[in-house]
């Protein structure tokens, strides 16, 4: 078994849908969405920062023992998932083989989990006795088998999910009592378990009825009802992971999917899939390294090398003030002015004790001088006859120390000092450019920034500056100018790919022509459920691309699609197909595309993502069923220093006006995600905001 990374708060999950029907036509599958929702709900119900479920794998496979075992082995042995959940194939029909396939793979059985699920099911339906679940542990992974009906699967999973973290952590070799802040008591509380005095945690779970003791248990079928009659395959099916889900371009409209075949994933999962499929520092597909000269054009790059000082700064002993260079031991008194040192190159006459030299800020100290006295601490004593030149000066300052008002050679920086580390960002503040310039570094190695192509799609879309009035049905292209502006302002080169008509050929030609010109492609429009929504089929069927996700649980931006299309020399081109609605396109650009561009240019870890702040809402905000990215203007309240958010008004996805003067996206939970079933975030509450623009100070 492969080494598993040390336990973190993330418990990774694989959902394996075993069904001949769903494997032949993914559009018929409901289980993935259903179980994803159960897991999202479980995450929302977790109190405190203890652990979190993260769905890493989702697959639909036929009722085939070998295929089931192959997937489970991969997920347990290679991927080291925390939990594998199967649905389907647990009934009495001939092709129901899931329990048999799973049993053979288990190192340990978990009869408690099986009893728990059955007990819960039987409370709801006597048909539960027709189900044959198995559960257990393989390596460090817990495996459970659920019935095939989405309702049954949901209720079964709900009955045990609160206790599964405990099982997963133990299976992975961790001590859940130590690992969880608040420990197992907390898990028990969340699961509704009443601990018995004097028993260890395992007996608590058992004797209290443990797994079945949650009030939330609801179970109806418990049976793995699903159709086994082989249905004609409506879609091509490639090797594992390569199944095509999009509509067939050659098919007629009556055959299109009537519900999206793409699972609805969370924003967090979407971020993870993007991060995994964009070149990243430290991976085999690391970003390209190029040489750039040190000038204004360096802003926004990430250094791909460590840079050390080639010279010392200052390169000579320099005065910090305007005044007189002296020998510090000379003390107060009247001294002849024997020379002048200006901040300009050239030889300077040496100074002896009993002499002084006029000097300006930044000028080199005459050899022999050891300190500088400010002009304010001196008095003129004797001038030339015409009164224009100083001959003698009285030094009033006493107790001078050696090198007072002097910058010693290399006191700001010495030759060989580390200037900037690998991974340092050259910011728009200018400090890093200045630092490099100060020691004569002319060129540095940096990670190349991506060139980004922007394509609008839609038969209705016309050039935004077209002079003629619009005909009925025509829409001015606002997405392309918006995105080109945002990309350029963020320091990336943008390529305008124009507008493609909703015709497979046009889209194909335009995209194909762009591959050699750009590193990342952004399209808008044509990704939802309409028969003219051609992006997904074109990516999958014309270009053999992989759609990593095609739906995200968010508003706006639900149909956001991210894919990679194979190009030359094993390079693949990432393509973000954003929804056509203007607010959706703009929000998803900031939320998904920008982090990808930053990762491509060498940013690492959380630095790729938008910065976050806690802000106070200045009005009630009504919650949407989907988690919402509510556009707002965040201001700094001058007196309190607090960040206050003002909504930009109507948040309909078509309203680009919702982004006017917006500098933040307020992260509002979806309805039902908040534990206390609130329907609104009340005025004065604090919410997380993603910062997309400059913060301003609140007027008045
Ligand atoms: N049956 C369903 N219909 C829709 C669903 C769904 O789940 N089921 N999702 C809705 C959601 S949410 C969104 S968002 C949109 C996304 O639509 P598409 O990405 O397919 O985009 P289009 O249909 O091409 O256009 C939508 C809308 O945006 C206007 N548009 C497109 N491009 C531009 C542009 N460059 N500049 C300005 N405006 C643009 C277009 O004219 C449409 O009005 O789908 C929902 N439907
Ligand atoms: O998700 Mo759509 O972006 O609501 O309009
Ligand atoms: Mg559409």
């Amino acid at each position: 078994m492969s080494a598993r990374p040390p336990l973190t708060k993330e418990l990774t999950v694989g959902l394996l849908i075993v069904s001949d029907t769903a494997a032949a036509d993914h559009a018929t599958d409901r289980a993935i969405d259903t179980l994803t929702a159960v897991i999202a709900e479980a995450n929302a119900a977790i109190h405190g920062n203890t652990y979190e479920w993260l769905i890493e794998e989702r697959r639909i496979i036929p009722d085939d023992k070998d295929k089931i075992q192959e997937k489970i082995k991969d997920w347990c042995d290679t991927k080291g998932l925390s939990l594998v959940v199967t649905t389907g194939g647990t009934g009495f029909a001939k092709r129901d083989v899931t329990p048999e396939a799973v049993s053979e793979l288990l190192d340990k059985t978990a009869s408690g989990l099986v009893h728990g699920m059955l007990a819960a099911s039987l409370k709801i339906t006597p048909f539960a006795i027709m189900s044959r679940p198995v559960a257990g542990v393989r390596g460090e992974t817990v495996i459970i088998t659920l019935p095939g009906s989405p309702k049954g699967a949901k209720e079964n999973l709900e009955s045990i999910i609160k206790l599964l973290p405990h099982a997963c952590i133990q299976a992975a070799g961790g001590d859940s009592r130590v690992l969880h802040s608040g420990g197992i008591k907390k898990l028990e509380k969340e699961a509704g378990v009443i601990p018995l005095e004097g028993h260890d945690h395992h007996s608590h779970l058992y004797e209290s009825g443990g797994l079945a003791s949650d009030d939330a248990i609801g179970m109806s079928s418990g049976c793995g009802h699903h159709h086994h009659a082989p249905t004609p395959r409506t879609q091509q099916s490639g090797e594992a992971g390569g199944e095509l889900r999009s509509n067939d371009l050659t098919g007629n409209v009556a055959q299109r999917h009537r519900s999206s075949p793409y699972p609805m994933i969370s924003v967090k999962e979407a971020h993870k899939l993007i991060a995994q499929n964009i070149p990243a520092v430290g991976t085999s597909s690391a970003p390209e390294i190029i040489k750039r000269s040190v000038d204004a054009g360096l802003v926004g790059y990430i250094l791909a090398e460590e840079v050390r000082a080639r010279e010392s700064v200052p390169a000579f002993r320099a005065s910090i003030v305007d005044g007189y260079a002296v020998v510090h031991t000379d003390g107060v008194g009247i001294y002849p002015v024997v020379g002048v040192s200006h901040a300009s190159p050239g030889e300077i006459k040496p100074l002896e004790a009993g002499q002084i030299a006029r000097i300006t800020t930044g000028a080199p100290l005459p050899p022999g001088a050891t300190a500088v006295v400010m002009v304010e601490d001196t008095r003129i004593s004797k001038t030339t006859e015409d009164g224009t030149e100083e001959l003698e000066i009285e030094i009033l300052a006493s107790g001078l120390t050696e090198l007072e008002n002097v910058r010693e050679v290399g006191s700001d920086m010495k030759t060989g000092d580390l200037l900037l580390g690998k991974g340092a960002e050259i910011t728009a503040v200018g400090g890093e450019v200045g630092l490099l310039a100060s020691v004569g570094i002319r060129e540095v190695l940096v990670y190349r920034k991506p060139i980004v192509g922007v394509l609008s799609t839609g038969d209705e879309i016309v050039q935004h500056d077209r002079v003629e009035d619009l005909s009925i049905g025509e829409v001015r292209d606002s997405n392309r100018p918006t995105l080109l502006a945002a990309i350029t302002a963020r320091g990336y080169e943008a390529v305008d790919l124009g507008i493609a008509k909703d015709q497979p050929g046009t889209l194909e030609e335009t995209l194909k022509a762009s591959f050699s010109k750009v590193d990342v492609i952004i399209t808008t429009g044509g990704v939802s459920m309409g028969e003219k929504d051609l992006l997904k089929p074109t990516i999958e069927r014309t270009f053999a691309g992989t759609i990593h996700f095609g739906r995200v649980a968010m508003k706006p931006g639900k149909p956001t699609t991210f894919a990679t299309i194979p190009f030359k020399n094993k390079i693949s081109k990432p393509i973000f197909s954003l929804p056509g609605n203007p607010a959706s396109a703009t929000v998803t650009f900031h939320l998904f595309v920008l982090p990808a561009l930053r990762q491509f240019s060498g940013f690492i870890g959380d630095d790729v993502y938008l910065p976050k702040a806690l802000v106070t809402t200045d009005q009630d905000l009504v919650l949407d069923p989907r988690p919402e990215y509510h556009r707002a203007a965040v201001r700094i309240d001058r007196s309190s220093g607090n960040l206050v958010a003002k909504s930009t008004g109507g948040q309909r996805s078509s309203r680009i006006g919702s982004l006017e003067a917006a500098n933040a996206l307020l992260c509002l939970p979806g309805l039902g995600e908040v534990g206390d079933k609130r329907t609104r975030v009340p005025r004065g509450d604090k919410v997380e905001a993603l910062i997309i623009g400059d913060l301003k100070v609140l007027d008045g």
Side-chain angles (χ1 to χ4, degrees), residues 4-5 8-14 52-58 79-82 265-280 283 548-549 552 562 564 576 591-593 595-596 599 605-606 608-609:
R4 189 189 175 85
T8 65
K9 283 174 281 169
E10 277 174 3
L11 297 174
T12 50
V13 186
E52 188 176 25
W53 296 111
L54 191 70
I55 303 176
E56 284 214 331
E57 299 285 345
R58 298 178 169 89
K79 306 233 159 69
L81 299 186
S82 311
I265 67 168
S266 68
V267 167
K268 189 170 176 185
E269 288 173 88
H271 275 148
K272 195 164 180 193
L273 285 165
I274 294 167
Q276 285 166 351
N277 288 286
I278 297 280
T283 66
H548 302 288
F549 60 81
V552 186
F562 168 63
T564 42
F576 289 88
L591 195 65
F592 297 121
V593 186
Q599 177 168 316
D606 279 350
V608 304
Y609 297 112

Side-chain angles (χ1 to χ4, degrees), residues 112-124:
L113 288 175
V114 172
H115 279 283
M117 288 194 283
L118 283 175
S121 308
L122 282 166
K123 277 191 188 164
I124 294 156

Side-chain angles (χ1 to χ4, degrees), residues 183-444:
I184 193 70
K185 288 268 185 298
K186 189 167 191 165
L187 281 174
E188 285 171 339
K189 195 159 161 256
E190 283 177 12
V193 174
I194 307 137
L196 300 176
E197 290 301 318
H199 290 252
D200 69 14
H201 296 295
H202 303 278
S203 55
H204 294 171
L205 300 183
Y206 184 74
E207 293 184 47
S208 63
L211 303 168
S213 67
D214 193 328
D215 287 346
I217 289 170
M219 184 72 203
S220 55
S221 89
C223 304
H225 300 301
H226 57 290
H227 308 288
H228 293 298
T231 42
R233 295 178 76 90
T234 52
Q235 299 183 36
Q236 283 171 256
S237 172
E239 79 316 320
E243 304 97 339
L244 304 187
R245 283 183 285 210
S246 52
N247 285 317
D248 185 345
L249 284 168
T250 56
N252 56 35
V253 64
Q255 272 160 11
R256 73 165 151 161
H257 295 310
R258 306 202 80 76
S259 67
S260 174
Y262 295 90
M264 182 91 95
I265 67 168
S266 68
V267 167
K268 189 170 176 185
E269 288 173 88
H271 275 148
K272 195 164 180 193
L273 285 165
I274 294 167
Q276 285 166 351
N277 288 286
I278 297 280
V281 174
T283 66
S284 54
S285 65
E288 263 173 70
I289 293 174
I290 54 166
K291 202 177 258 181
R292 293 286 311 195
S293 49
V294 174
D295 54 30
L298 195 62
V299 171
Y301 281 100
I302 298 290
L303 279 187
E305 62 174 343
E306 177 181 281
V307 182
R308 293 187 173 271
R310 291 180 57 233
E311 297 164 350
S312 288
V313 179
F316 53 89
R317 274 189 171 181
S319 174
I320 293 176
V321 296
D322 298 313
Y324 297 88
V326 301
V327 176
H328 75 283
T329 47
D330 278 355
V332 293
I334 295 171
Y335 295 93
V337 181
V338 300
V340 179
S341 177
H342 285 155
S344 64
E347 284 301 307
I348 303 128
K349 224 175 102 190
L351 199 72
E352 285 166 19
Q355 298 180 331
I356 63 171
R358 201 162 73 236
I359 193 163
T360 57
T361 304
L365 233 62
T370 58
V372 178
V373 177
M374 288 170 80
V375 67
E376 292 90 330
D377 295 333
T378 66
R379 205 155 40 203
I380 193 125
S381 180
K382 190 173 172 193
T383 64
T384 49
E385 276 189 7
D386 60 2
T388 57
E389 263 305 330
E390 302 170 344
L391 291 178
E392 284 177 3
I393 292 294
E394 184 178 359
I395 300 292
L396 304 172
S398 62
L400 292 176
T401 56
E402 190 173 7
L403 297 183
E404 189 160 331
N405 291 331
V406 173
R407 287 160 67 219
E408 181 57 296
V409 175
S411 57
D412 285 353
M413 204 156 10
K414 289 194 180 52
T415 308
D417 276 359
L418 180 66
L419 276 191
L420 291 169
K422 187 173 167 178
E425 179 186 354
I426 312 296
T427 71
V429 172
E432 296 79 17
V433 170
L435 198 55
L436 295 166
S438 72
V439 291
I441 308 272
R442 290 183 298 274
E443 284 176 327
V444 285

Side-chain angles (χ1 to χ4, degrees), residues 450-635:
I451 302 169
V452 191
V454 181
L455 175 70
S456 290
T457 73
D459 288 338
E460 80 280 30
I461 306 300
V462 301
Q463 188 68 25
H464 75 93
D465 53 3
R466 197 191 69 179
V467 180
E468 300 93 80
D469 291 343
L470 297 177
S471 312
I472 285 190
E474 285 184 330
V475 173
R476 289 196 195 271
D477 187 353
S478 63
N479 288 346
R480 209 160 30 106
T482 308
L483 297 176
L484 291 170
I487 293 163
T488 314
R490 293 279 183 167
Y492 302 101
E493 189 181 328
V495 176
D496 186 344
L497 300 175
I499 302 168
K501 294 274 174 219
D502 290 327
Q503 281 142 20
T506 317
L507 189 58
E508 181 184 339
E509 289 313 311
T510 317
L511 285 177
K512 205 184 272 169
S514 76
F515 293 153
S516 56
K517 289 189 258 173
V518 303
D519 300 299
V520 176
I521 301 155
I522 304 176
T523 67
T524 65
V527 283
S528 197
M529 299 292 295
E531 69 271 28
K532 291 262 188 183
D533 288 338
L534 298 177
L535 257 301
K536 282 167 169 137
T538 304
I539 291 168
E540 272 195 337
R541 294 167 188 275
T542 310
F543 293 114
T546 305
I547 295 186
H548 302 288
F549 60 81
R551 250 181 347 145
V552 186
M554 64 182 289
K555 181 194 162 77
K558 185 173 68 169
T560 302
T561 299
F562 168 63
T564 42
I565 294 178
F567 188 54
K568 288 182 205 144
N569 307 328
K570 291 194 184 157
I571 295 175
S572 55
K573 299 281 171 179
I575 173 162
F576 289 88
S577 288
L578 309 181
N581 275 322
S584 316
T586 312
V587 166
T588 54
F589 167 80
H590 284 93
L591 195 65
F592 297 121
V593 186
L594 207 50
L597 301 183
R598 288 166 70 83
Q599 177 168 316
F600 193 112
S601 17
F603 284 82
I604 54 169
D606 279 350
D607 281 352
V608 304
Y609 297 112
L610 293 169
K612 262 191 216 167
L614 263 191
V615 304
T616 308
T617 61
D618 82 338
Q619 67 183 84
D620 284 12
L621 297 169
V622 177
L623 298 181
D624 188 86
R626 284 179 263 160
E628 189 187 7
Y629 290 81
H630 192 110
R631 283 76 76 200
V634 168
R635 305 266 141 91

Side-chain angles (χ1 to χ4, degrees), residues 36-47 52 264-269 552-555 623-629 666-681 688:
T36 302
V38 172
I39 287 168
E41 239 166 64
N43 275 339
I46 295 166
H47 302 296
E52 188 176 25
M264 182 91 95
I265 67 168
S266 68
V267 167
K268 189 170 176 185
E269 288 173 88
V552 186
M554 64 182 289
K555 181 194 162 77
L623 298 181
D624 188 86
R626 284 179 263 160
E628 189 187 7
Y629 290 81
L666 307 182
C667 307
L668 305 183
L671 264 181
E673 269 194 10
V674 271
D676 55 8
K677 303 271 181 273
R678 283 184 303 173
T679 57
R680 55 185 62 221
V681 173
E688 236 172 42

